[in-house]
């Protein structure tokens, strides 16, 4: 039985899709059969970040509507074995998703895959609710600033009450905090919330801290998940986070400002 | 999906009509002065604005004398209530005249309960069963907890944008960063206890205080909040020990 992971945040632009792409790739690199689904119907982006936008024939909505079968719509990643992408539809809107349809697709995927990563759209409307509804685990992507933290808090409340696990009283969704775009230098200047501030407000387990890095933008623009670039600090931070998710103990890096860290930024 | 299914089986029943007992809030009209009524009601709403969103309410005219009922502008009452996001679902205890007018403005009529049943209900009401509510998880932004008829006990944090209401006391063993409203049905003896005070709003029996007007020295400390002479008092709990550690 596959484990379903939702990557969510409430707020837009905090790095959900980047995280979904990196995380799914990391899980596949670790030898797990992994599928990543873009729930952002109408604002399809995951295919770009994964670099498979020219290979999209059928999409998630086609599968839900029975216009294509799952194997026709799934795109196998060319770089990483065991990884498949189910793109969103660009021409439809989020109302095209139905709970029954999403459940059917997830159940079918669960037969063949170990992990299903659901890339949630921003907001708390239908698309986001459906992306989270069937989840076993949630990765809450948060930027170190107050509005993002508050939106994440709201999402955590929804995860605790409006998901299948909550409705069936089937144990809680395991919640993980992933702090992205973190800059120790700006925290020091008081321009950003610190890791401890965010942990204190959200009081959930910290999965990882992804430093603010040019390599993330470069990776997105070139359609290569940033985790494949282990020379970049963001790539190694994602690799750490995946390892922690899979049960490995790793110390948190990139939390404090170091000379080495600054050199790495300017060296890149 | 479900809609399509239903179309294919049109013979399946589309609805059921059932009688259900349920708790409903009652607005007992005690005076024919509508302007005064809404002045007082607005003050009540201000204590818990979110609680009264789309709030179903039953209008009770039993205590309004028959001659006062005759000149009562129920259309105005209905319209002003709806304006404040209340949903008047029906009325009871009104004389024939008022009942007739109410039907005209679309308010249903509920027959007054027989005397015997009502007496019984009243004697139960004088001995409220304390129904305290224990919350172990953080109360997140956008969530609202209402401990009806008792205390709210929160073992974790109340986030900014979250709201805790209780008819009795509120105890928060984490940080209070959202709103806490104790004694929402007018219990002036209710208190708020919290381990780390940094609220958006605190209120007891309708007397409220916003974050800005809270004494800065109390912020981040362990306190109790209570009413004295109609004003909110914030008092440190074990203040001395805290001051030496801070």
């Amino acid at each position: 039985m596959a484990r379903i992971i939702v990557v969510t945040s409430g707020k837009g632009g905090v790095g959900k899709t980047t995280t979904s792409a990196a995380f799914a790739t990391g899980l596949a690199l670790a030898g797990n059969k992994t599928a990543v689904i873009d729930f952002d119907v109408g604002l399809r982006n995951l295919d770009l970040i994964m670099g498979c936008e020219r290979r999209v024939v059928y999409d998630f909505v086609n599968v839900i509507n029975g216009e294509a079968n799952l194997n026709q719509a799934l795109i196998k990643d060319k770089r990483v074995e065991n990884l498949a992408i189910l793109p969103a539809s660009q021409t439809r809107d989020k109302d095209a998703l139905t709970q029954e349809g999403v459940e059917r697709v997830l159940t079918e995927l669960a037969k063949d895959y170990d992990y299903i990563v659901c890339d949630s759209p921003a907001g708390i409307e239908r698309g986001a609710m459906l992306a989270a509804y069937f989840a076993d685990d949630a990765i809450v992507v948060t930027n170190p600033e107050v509005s993002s933290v508050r939106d994440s808090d709201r999402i955590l409340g929804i995860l605790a009450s409006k998901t299948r696990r909550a409705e069936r009283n089937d144990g809680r969704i395991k919640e993980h905090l992933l702090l992205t775009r973190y800059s120790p230098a700006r925290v020091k200047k008081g321009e950003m919330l610190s890791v401890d501030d965010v942990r204190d407000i959200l009081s959930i387990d910290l999965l990882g801290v992804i430093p603010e890095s040019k390599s993330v933008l470069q990776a997105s623009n070139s359609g290569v998940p940033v985790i494949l670039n282990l020379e970049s600090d963001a790539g190694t931070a994602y690799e750490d986070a995946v390892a922690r998710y899979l049960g490995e103990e790793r110390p948190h890096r990139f939390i404090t400002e170091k000379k080495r860290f600054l050199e790495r930024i300017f060296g890149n | 999906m479900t809609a399509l299914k239903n179309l294919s089986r049109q013979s399946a029943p589309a609805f059921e009509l059932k009688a259900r007992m349920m708790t409903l809030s009652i607005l007992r009209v005690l005076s024919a002065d509508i302007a005064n009524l809404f002045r007082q009601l607005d003050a009540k709403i201000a204590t818990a604005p979110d609680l009264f969103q789309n709030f179903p309410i039953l209008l009770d005219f039993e205590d309004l004398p028959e001659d006062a009922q005759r000149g009562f502008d129920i259309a105005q009452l209905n319209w002003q209530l709806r304006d404040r996001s209340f949903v008047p679902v029906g009325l009871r205890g009104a004389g024939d005249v008022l009942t007739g007018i109410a039907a005209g403005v679309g308010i249903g009529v509920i027959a007054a309960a027989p005397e015997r049943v009502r007496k019984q209900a009243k004697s139960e009401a004088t001995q409220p069963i304390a129904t305290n509510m224990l919350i172990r998880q953080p109360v997140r932004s956008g969530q609202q907890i209402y401990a009806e008829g008792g205390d709210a006990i929160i073992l974790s944090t109340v986030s900014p944008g979250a709201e805790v209401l209780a008819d009795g006391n509120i105890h928060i063993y984490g940080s209070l960063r959202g709103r806490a409203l104790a004694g929402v049905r007018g219990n002036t003896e209710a208190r708020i206890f919290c381990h780390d005070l940094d609220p958006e709003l605190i209120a007891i029996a309708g007397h409220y205080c916003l974050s800005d007007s809270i004494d800065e020295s109390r912020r981040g400390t362990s306190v109790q909040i209570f009413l004295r002479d109609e004003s909110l008092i914030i008092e440190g709990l074990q203040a001395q020990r805290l001051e030496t550690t801070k």
Side-chain angles (χ1 to χ4, degrees):
Chain A
M1 197 56 195
R3 220 158 156 85
I4 301 173
I5 307 167
V6 60
V7 177
T8 183
S9 70
K11 197 171 186 299
V14 295
K16 282 183 297 298
T17 302
T18 299
T19 299
S20 299
F23 215 79
T25 306
L27 288 168
L29 283 172
N32 303 292
K33 282 207 79 177
T34 307
V36 53
I37 308 179
D38 190 350
F39 272 78
D40 205 349
V41 177
L43 294 166
R44 187 177 97 191
N45 273 164
L46 182 69
D47 53 326
L48 286 170
I49 312 273
M50 297 290 293
C52 63
E53 71 278 10
R54 290 161 194 248
R55 297 164 62 206
V56 176
V57 183
Y58 293 109
D59 58 52
F60 192 18
V61 173
N62 292 137
V63 180
I64 284 178
N65 292 345
E67 293 149 4
N69 67 40
L70 196 52
N71 283 329
Q72 288 174 301
L74 279 174
I75 304 170
K76 298 260 181 281
D77 193 84
K78 281 187 172 166
R79 297 160 296 229
V80 183
E81 224 183 324
N82 296 329
L83 180 61
I85 301 112
L86 184 56
S89 168
Q90 182 70 354
T91 51
R92 307 292 292 272
D93 62 43
K94 280 154 189 90
D95 294 335
L97 297 175
T98 62
Q99 188 163 316
E100 295 86 347
V102 171
E103 184 172 18
R104 202 155 29 80
V105 172
L106 291 176
T107 314
E108 207 179 326
L109 277 173
K111 289 181 200 152
D112 296 329
Y113 288 85
D114 303 318
Y115 289 100
I116 302 169
V117 178
C118 302
D119 180 20
S120 171
I124 49 173
E125 277 74 47
R126 192 182 182 83
M129 296 303 238
L130 284 173
Y133 186 76
F134 298 99
D136 302 304
D137 294 300
I139 295 175
V140 179
V141 182
T142 306
N143 286 170
E145 44 109 6
V146 281
S147 59
S148 173
V149 173
R150 176 175 293 190
D151 289 0
S152 294
D153 194 53
R154 178 92 165 92
I155 286 291
L156 285 164
I158 290 170
L159 290 172
S161 58
K162 302 232 168 79
T163 52
R164 182 166 66 171
R165 275 177 173 261
E167 283 173 10
R168 289 186 179 171
N169 237 336
D170 200 10
R172 291 172 59 78
I173 289 187
K174 181 94 184 67
E175 300 150 341
H176 305 273
L177 172 64
L178 190 75
L179 207 52
T180 55
R181 300 198 162 164
Y182 196 73
S183 160
R186 294 185 60 193
V187 171
K188 209 172 167 191
K189 280 193 240 162
E191 295 170 2
M192 265 186 188
L193 295 173
S194 72
V195 180
D196 290 335
D197 291 340
V198 180
R199 282 173 97 171
D200 183 39
I201 298 171
L202 296 179
S203 46
I204 59 169
D205 153 59
L206 180 69
L207 185 64
V209 177
I210 312 298
E212 176 137 58
S213 166
K214 275 186 202 157
S215 59
V216 172
L217 189 62
Q218 282 163 2
S220 299
N221 287 338
S222 56
V224 181
V226 68
I227 197 169
L228 291 174
N229 177 5
L230 286 180
E231 281 172 17
S232 81
D233 43 4
T236 48
Y238 272 115
E239 211 247 323
D240 280 354
V242 173
R244 271 184 218 113
Y245 175 80
L246 293 173
E248 211 176 298
E249 291 262 338
R250 287 198 187 182
H252 285 287
R253 298 192 259 181
F254 315 112
I255 289 181
T256 48
E257 191 184 10
K258 286 179 194 156
K259 272 258 155 63
R260 213 160 54 87
F261 172 77
L262 281 173
E263 278 163 11
R264 201 174 298 164
I265 293 184
F266 295 123
N268 259 353
Chain B
M1 206 54 199
T2 23
L4 278 177
K5 263 190 216 152
N6 286 346
L7 273 179
S8 60
R9 299 185 278 122
Q10 276 192 340
S11 56
F15 66 87
E16 286 180 332
L17 203 55
K18 285 193 166 171
R20 277 269 158 82
M21 299 281 289
M22 50 186 74
T23 324
L24 196 61
S25 294
I26 293 180
L27 183 78
R28 301 182 80 157
V29 180
L30 306 176
S31 139
D33 183 355
I34 292 193
N36 187 33
L37 186 152
F38 278 104
R39 246 192 318 279
Q40 294 181 13
L41 186 63
D42 285 339
K44 187 106 216 156
I45 296 171
T47 65
D50 295 334
L51 181 66
F52 298 116
Q53 284 294 316
N54 299 320
F55 195 79
I57 204 161
L58 183 68
L59 309 175
D60 187 339
F61 288 91
E62 214 171 43
D63 294 322
L64 195 66
E66 188 85 4
D67 52 329
Q69 283 191 18
R70 224 159 274 151
F72 194 83
D73 190 349
I74 192 156
Q76 166 89 347
L77 179 75
N78 176 42
W79 166 74
Q80 289 227 36
L81 279 173
R82 285 179 189 277
D83 219 36
R84 286 165 177 78
S85 183
F86 284 90
V87 183
V89 292
L91 97 171
R92 51 173 269 181
D96 294 343
V97 181
L98 194 55
T99 305
I101 302 169
V105 295
I107 300 178
V109 178
I110 291 161
E115 200 64 20
R116 192 178 53 81
V117 179
R118 276 192 32 238
K119 280 256 168 70
Q120 203 183 346
K122 261 185 190 160
S123 67
E124 264 173 39
T126 54
Q127 304 172 319
I129 313 150
T131 44
N132 298 333
M133 191 183 251
L134 178 69
I135 308 286
R136 293 187 172 82
Q137 300 300 330
V139 186
R140 305 282 185 189
S141 177
Q143 289 183 321
Q144 189 184 56
I145 302 289
Y146 177 32
E148 201 175 349
D151 291 3
I153 303 156
I154 319 285
L155 298 183
S156 188
T157 296
V158 178
S159 291
E163 194 167 63
V164 177
L165 303 112
D167 289 339
N169 306 308
I170 296 176
H171 310 255
I172 299 164
Y173 293 95
S175 304
L176 169 58
R177 301 193 180 106
R179 298 160 158 245
L181 301 96
V184 286
R185 275 196 277 182
N187 179 4
T188 51
E189 296 298 308
R191 289 182 179 218
I192 299 169
F193 303 87
C194 86
H195 183 60
D196 170 20
L197 183 76
D198 188 16
E200 291 174 335
L201 177 145
I202 45 175
I204 292 170
H207 300 269
Y208 69 91
C209 174
L210 282 165
S211 181
D212 283 352
S213 31
I214 288 171
D215 180 4
E216 280 303 316
S217 68
R218 291 288 174 218
R219 216 174 274 279
T221 67
S222 193
V223 298
Q224 64 162 328
I225 301 152
F226 54 93
L227 267 184
R228 187 190 290 151
D229 302 329
E230 306 218 324
S231 56
L232 286 175
I233 309 290
I234 303 178
E235 196 179 88
L237 289 168
Q238 302 161 311
Q240 272 184 330
R241 190 181 64 83
L242 274 169
E243 267 156 31
T244 51
T245 52
K246 285 258 154 173

